[in-house]
Amino acid sequence: MTDAGLEASWIALWSIVGALVGSFGNVVVYRWPRGESVVRPRSRCPRCSRVLGPLELIPIVSYLLLRARCRSCGVRISPRYPLVEAAMALGFGLLAWAYPVHEAGLSALPLMALYAMLLMAALIDLDTYLLPDGLTITAAFVAVLGAFVYAPELGLPGPGEALFGAAVASGALVLINRLGGLVLRRLKDTSERLWPLSLDTVNIAALAGMLGGLRLALVVGSLQVLLSAVTRRPLRLSEPVVYAAWLVSLLLIVSGVGERWGVGLVEGIAGSVAGAGTFAFLGALWWWLVDWRRGDRRAPADAAGAPEDDDGEPVAMGFGDVKLAAPLGAMLGWDGFLVGLLMAVVLGAVIGVAQRLAGGSRFVPFGPFMVAGAFLALAVGDALIGWYLALLGF
Ligand SMILES: [Zn+2]
């Protein structure tokens, strides 16, 4: 076979794998939020409960052959199932094409795994306004481990950049979560009381980072956890007070006064965001493991973009989105993540306006836009940044 023929078969092979993963993904998206097993029992027609035969389980093809209907009872099958399979096939095929094995080694594999997990997470968010921790937190680990596999010179982050990217991404979203929540509560303190690792850790790390950079944020956050553990009660400062101090520090840093004690603009802001994000993610991991040990059968998940959190406090950004940001930041690095976030906001605004014009009123969560924005940034982010810099005359 020619080189071109070999490459085409390779891409076709991965597209087929993608379609199969998409078929499994449909099962996961349907069953995970219901707390059902994703491997058993076998797939059935939702109306007549007949177990589907092998010829009805071929991704995309079965849907077309059956003309979108169940073979026995004739109930209509949603076009979403073949669309998800096609989207997964397309994504896998594009990744196999963009990161060919002879140049990129195994780089495409972690990206395919991330694409599959994040697409499932986005669909579950769309259906239920929840993002399962099992998908978002696991994806964060896949994204950081993937950074050890990527071939150099592909523009993908190395391990250090992936960790920093995850911290900045989670941090950006947790700060929107805290500051937005504070505004929505009309500056009243939060009623959340967690121990020993909590949002108080995130808040104090955000302040320390602004005043002294990332290292200070990590030290102060760790001390807060340690002291809370030793004193056996949550060591907390009122949230409005912490963020008032945070805002004053930000103004001092922006106006250059911070230089007097040796903290520059970039160091302060990066330290605050990455410090807050580090403890937000560690907290998420901690509480996920606690739920797991308690044997919480309900699929652990967190509100993502729903207008209220579990305690009924209004939120600007669900904590599920904070966890979702971690794998996106690890996959793209902090700069790519911000490009993706910008695209997510633009996409969200466009779809939101289109939905209003069409007369719809359903609340659309932000998670799916974050995932779409991130993969757009992976595809065209570098080109976009280059074009923008050229526009500015660099
Ligand atoms: Zn049926």
Side-chain angles (χ1 to χ4, degrees), residues 44-50 52 56 69-75:
R44 292 163 180 275
C45 168
R47 189 161 90 180
C48 67
S49 299
R50 188 176 52 81
L52 301 183
E56 289 164 291
R69 288 186 184 283
C70 168
R71 201 154 50 93
S72 20
C73 73
V75 69

Side-chain angles (χ1 to χ4, degrees), residues 163-176 273-274 277 321-330 333-334 337-338 341 370:
L163 273 179
F164 185 67
V168 168
S170 288
L173 287 233
V174 83
L175 286 175
I176 298 174
V273 176
D321 292 327
V322 174
K323 300 174 203 175
L324 176 64
L328 304 182
W334 70 271
F337 172 78
L338 292 182
L341 191 62
M370 284 172 64

